[in-house]
Amino acid sequence: MISVRDVYKSYGEVEVLAGCSVEVRKGEVIVVCGPSGSGKSTLIKCINGLEPFERGQIVVDGVEVGKRGTNLPRLRARVGMVFQQFELFPHMKVIDNLTIAQVKVLGRGGEQARKKALALLDRVGLREHADKHPGQLSGGQQQRVAIARSLALDPVCMLFDEPTSALDPEMINEVLDAMAGLARDGMTMVVVTHEMGFARKVASRIVFMDQGRIVEEGRTAEFFAEPKTDRARQFLSKVLHH
Amino acid sequence: MYELDWSSIPGALPFLWQGMKVSLAITAVAVVAGIAWGTVLAVMRLSPARPVSLFAAAYVSLFRSVPLVMVLLWFFLIVPSLLRDVLGLSHATDLRLASAMVAFALFEAAYYSEIMRAGIQSVSKGQRSAALALGMTPLQAMWHVVLPQAFRNMVPLLLTQAIILFQDTSLVYVSALADFFGAAVYVSALADFFGAAYKVGDRDGRLVEMLLFAGAAYFVLCCTASWAVRLLRRRVLA
């Protein structure tokens, strides 16, 4: 489904991705973790072409991302993305946040888009907030709306960029629950997160990054039971023991 | 000692009102057209295509480096004959109002584009990313997501600029100069509020009183408008 091969990227002198390769199969949930500044967010932003990269190849559902002439808007419409800061459109009602891309990008009719939007709001438990503006919702509710907004386009896979990092602690679980539900339904997901409890429960595989490199990659149970590298061991001891 | 005599003002009010209507019409057209064209220029200025952004940058610095009076004068001299040729109008048609509107719209667009550029840059980059991630093209992201927020953030500044523009309409008095330059084929003179006051005052020999009265009228109008903008700004920020 997603294939990242030997991708390099730098901002001027600073190398942020130094030869990253990952394969994600259909229905897998990959959690990408690692210390801040390790390039996790940059890596998933390369997957839908929001960040350009210099070398290497990324193929999503048969479409090559970095190639000249690739219709990026069309590809992005099939790859959902959820951001750390939610990024709902504050000048539109919740319902319009969910319908605008359906209508303007996919060309669906207004009534069809509205039905789809309401069904998805129902699924994340926020149907009664359809006519509010995003600013009237809590952070957790906004992030659930953002997930529903991505799902409205029927994506073939979903990218999550630290979806709970900007949330108050008591709101983290409602978002993680929505994500776990998606995973159960078979959605292919790449999740950048520090929530190791979520990773342990939901992830098929863990990718551990440090300084722009994928240092370790393995099945979830094995990664938590016996990490192969010192750096992963150090990282886990820091995030798990407190 | 000069004796002030206000007696000629009441009789002049209907004529002054005609002038005020001209001022308001020019302001309205220039604000709407100026914001529209200014927004296009701002988007062009921020475009990654170099020739496009260079054109917008050149346009803005040209109009911001030339006095408004000059621009108006050019337009009074050039646009009427141009429009007549293009539209095939007779020489009797008075095009000075249209010329003034075009000149103000093109001139003010340079200032509005700087305001809109700041407005676009005030919208967080994440908003654009989110719109692109949903499959929107860069222009769709600009139109549906960035511009509405940019516009809302900049409403107080756009209105303040409109108040300045209203005062600047007094400069159409240079249309009288266009006659002087030998283009005197116009039937009626174009007189905005200031021009009307000047004319009546000159005719009655009461120029000082007329101009004091006109100044007071500008002061009251613009002060009230500024105060309304301040109220609005407080409500937008709240």
Side-chain angles (χ1 to χ4, degrees), chain B residues 108 111-112 115 156-166 168:
Chain B
E108 292 296 323
Y111 289 84
Y112 280 123
I115 295 174
L157 277 181
L158 294 170
L159 289 177
T160 302
Q161 184 65 27
I163 295 170
I164 297 170
L165 170 56
F166 173 69
D168 286 348

Side-chain angles (χ1 to χ4, degrees), chain A residues 86-130:
Chain A
F86 330 135
E87 304 297 352
L88 294 178
F89 305 137
H91 58 297
M92 296 177 194
K93 286 179 190 170
V94 165
I95 181 86
D96 297 328
N97 266 275
L98 269 74
T99 54
I100 180 149
Q102 293 188 67
V103 174
K104 302 293 174 192
V105 176
L106 299 186
R108 283 182 189 154
E111 198 40 49
Q112 188 195 357
R114 203 183 145 74
K115 256 189 209 146
K116 176 102 193 168
L118 287 173
L120 283 166
L121 284 175
D122 215 15
R123 180 166 164 186
V124 294
L126 293 169
R127 192 186 176 117
E128 69 273 28
H129 298 291

Side-chain angles (χ1 to χ4, degrees), chain A residues 48 50 73-74 76-77 79 81 83 87-92 100-101 104-105 149-150 153, chain B residues 124-138 140 144-146 148-149 152:
Chain A
N48 67 351
L50 280 183
R74 191 143 142 214
R76 290 182 186 131
V79 179
M81 183 152 198
F83 296 83
E87 304 297 352
L88 294 178
F89 305 137
H91 58 297
M92 296 177 194
I100 180 149
K104 302 293 174 192
V105 176
R149 178 175 71 175
S150 281
L153 301 181
Chain B
S124 85
K125 286 214 164 67
Q127 286 284 303
R128 186 180 128 92
S129 294
L132 293 179
L134 287 168
M136 290 189 199
T137 63
Q140 281 179 320
H144 295 297
V145 174
V146 178
Q149 297 182 60
R152 186 188 283 190

